[in-house]
Amino acid sequence: MPRLQETREILADLVAFPTVSSDSNLEMIVHIAAMLGELGAHVELFHDESGHKANLFATLGPREAGGGLVLSGHTDVVPVTDQTWTNDPFTLREADGRLYGRGTCDMKGFIAATLAMAPAYAALDLKRPLHFAFTHDEEVGCLGGQALVRELAARGLRPEIAIIGEPTEMRIVEAHKGCCEYTVAFHGLEGHGSNPDAGVNAAEAAVRYVSRLLDLAEALKARAPHNNPFEPPWTTINLGRISGGHAHNVIPGKAEVEWEMRPVQQSDQDFVNDEMARHVADTLLPAMRAVDPRADIVTHVIGEVAGLEPMDDSAARRLLAELTGEARAETVAFSTEAGLFQSLGCAAAVCGPGSIAQAHKPDEYVTLDQLGQCLDMLDGLGTVLTRAR
């Protein structure tokens, strides 16, 4: 297996950066930038508005040639709060052919493999550019990916192929659902629980909002396209969090609902958003404002990320089939940043080491065998990049 020891060492360094989405990823991004910069890559960092997070976009090979291929991964990880780990989640641990640590499979293992292969790529006579795209805040709405794609589009930079290394056990994924995340804030009027009609109960408004949302979740099942390959085949809605109120005898003045939708088609996303906007405007707000005109319901869009749509002839699927020897491509329910690159005009596919079943769990791990398979795939990529067009 080429460069497995280097991958293990790099992964240990990456895991040691606690890049939970709520915190900064800058130290890790700067570390990666230095590694690629030393190889002669053209490296750019794009910071978010806070200045505490950044995307990295780096290029090896002839930048003036245009197009090329991008290897993409997100640098953020989910929290370890309230999880029981055998060891420190931010210290890589090896046991029984597995590498344990937060982010090992989702998805620092893939990033480590690409960085381990980077010196080999840098030594080649590349005929087309090879890009590295590492983003922030994928786990909380693909915020970094959305910003990066906007930046690339503004520059007219469109890679031909994008490989997103999310954990698929090195199987080729050609399609997945989209992911839309929302936080809805309800602002009412507090009061004494003995006279409910004198206040505007934000929690009650939230319950009525959720009730309509659940009705739509059932209606979406009948809208599933014929022969849809996804499982389940319809657009789904999930309630992630409902909060509001402080005591039994107080009318809650504030409440909040966090929910997500995984659309299989754009028309479903439009249907749900239109119906919920109508329910708020025609039913909920008039009742609330009849008591207090200052009452309000505000929807915050955390992220609306397009799904990865299957293509009859995908250059990304063909390339991965050549590199992995896997002829079959699959669909998955979880979402990635692949749809963002597809919206840019790239042929995109998902293929990376590790299993999604391990992601987000305590004692998350990736196997050495999976990393080896990933390195074999990336090693073959060098031959492709040196071919004359």
Side-chain angles (χ1 to χ4, degrees):
M1 296 179 189
R3 300 184 179 269
L4 184 57
Q5 180 58 33
E6 293 95 325
T7 301
R8 184 192 286 108
E9 293 170 359
I10 294 170
L11 182 55
D13 290 338
L14 299 186
V15 167
F17 293 106
T19 52
V20 176
S21 303
S22 58
D23 301 322
S24 174
N25 74 332
L26 278 183
E27 286 190 20
M28 177 173 161
I29 284 290
V30 170
H31 175 75
I32 294 173
M35 293 178 67
L36 292 172
E38 289 177 359
L39 298 173
H42 177 79
V43 182
E44 290 187 90
L45 303 186
F46 304 101
H47 293 77
D48 73 345
E49 292 182 358
S50 74
H52 297 301
K53 298 182 180 184
N55 295 319
L56 177 148
F57 192 78
T59 303
L60 288 170
R63 292 172 56 214
E64 67 280 359
L69 184 142
V70 60
L71 299 172
S72 176
H74 63 81
T75 61
D76 61 315
V77 297
V78 296
V80 297
T81 306
D82 298 327
Q83 292 186 338
T84 301
W85 285 69
T86 303
N87 293 89
D88 177 7
F90 298 108
T91 299
L92 192 71
R93 176 174 66 92
E94 181 175 347
D96 301 321
R98 297 174 176 179
L99 298 176
Y100 292 88
R102 174 55 86 220
T104 47
C105 83
D106 186 21
M107 55 183 295
K108 292 180 178 181
F110 177 75
I111 295 175
T114 65
L115 295 174
M117 290 301 304
Y121 296 142
L124 296 173
D125 180 20
L126 300 178
K127 304 300 184 184
R128 64 184 86 176
L130 174 63
H131 309 289
F132 301 82
F134 302 137
T135 61
H136 65 83
D137 286 334
E138 187 271 351
E139 298 288 5
V140 290
C142 295
L143 305 183
Q146 294 181 77
L148 179 62
V149 166
R150 286 194 298 269
E151 181 66 35
L152 298 181
R155 297 180 176 209
L157 204 165
R158 180 177 65 82
E160 300 166 70
I161 294 174
I163 297 175
I164 291 77
E166 289 277 7
T168 66
E169 297 179 278
M170 292 307 298
R171 297 197 292 266
I172 303 168
V173 169
E174 66 174 347
H176 62 67
K177 297 181 180 182
C179 183
C180 304
E181 297 181 343
Y182 306 97
T183 297
V184 185
F186 300 82
H187 304 278
L189 177 64
E190 289 188 344
H192 198 284
S194 63
N195 188 7
D197 291 342
V200 179
N201 194 312
E204 286 186 10
V207 169
R208 293 190 174 101
Y209 182 95
V210 167
S211 178
R212 179 59 180 148
L213 203 58
L214 294 177
D215 288 342
L216 293 178
E218 286 300 310
L220 288 168
K221 295 179 180 179
R223 293 172 58 94
H226 182 62
N227 292 330
N228 190 340
F230 293 111
E231 179 59 40
W234 52 79
T235 293
T236 59
I237 289 174
N238 179 65
L239 293 172
R241 187 178 70 89
I242 304 173
S243 66
H246 302 289
H248 295 79
N249 59 351
V250 177
I251 299 170
K254 294 182 179 180
E256 200 167 71
V257 172
E258 295 181 0
W259 64 281
E260 70 160 21
M261 169 171 46
R262 304 271 176 158
V264 299
Q265 53 192 352
Q266 182 62 42
S267 58
D268 284 350
Q269 181 178 333
D270 296 339
F271 166 68
V272 171
N273 285 335
D274 290 346
E275 286 296 316
M276 292 310 299
R278 187 176 300 111
H279 184 57
V280 168
D282 296 347
T283 303
L284 299 182
L285 277 178
M288 296 169 71
R289 289 175 175 171
V291 178
D292 187 346
R294 297 170 299 176
D296 203 3
I297 299 174
V298 180
T299 298
H300 302 279
V301 179
I302 306 304
E304 291 180 323
V305 180
L308 175 61
E309 298 181 8
M311 301 172 63
D312 292 335
D313 182 28
S314 168
R317 184 181 63 229
R318 282 189 276 109
L319 173 62
L320 285 170
E322 175 187 344
L323 296 176
T324 65
E326 180 66 56
R328 189 169 67 97
E330 305 178 8
T331 62
V332 293
F334 65 84
S335 65
T336 76
E337 294 175 328
L340 294 172
F341 284 98
Q342 188 177 63
S343 70
L344 191 62
C346 306
V350 187
C351 184
S355 169
I356 195 66
Q358 299 304 322
H360 300 188
K361 292 183 177 179
D363 288 341
E364 175 185 346
Y365 69 83
V366 65
T367 67
L368 291 171
D369 179 67
Q370 284 281 301
L371 286 178
Q373 291 181 48
C374 181
L375 287 165
D376 287 340
M377 181 266 285
L378 294 172
D379 188 48
L381 183 62
T383 301
V384 174
L385 292 167
T386 56
R387 291 176 188 162
R389 297 195 184 198

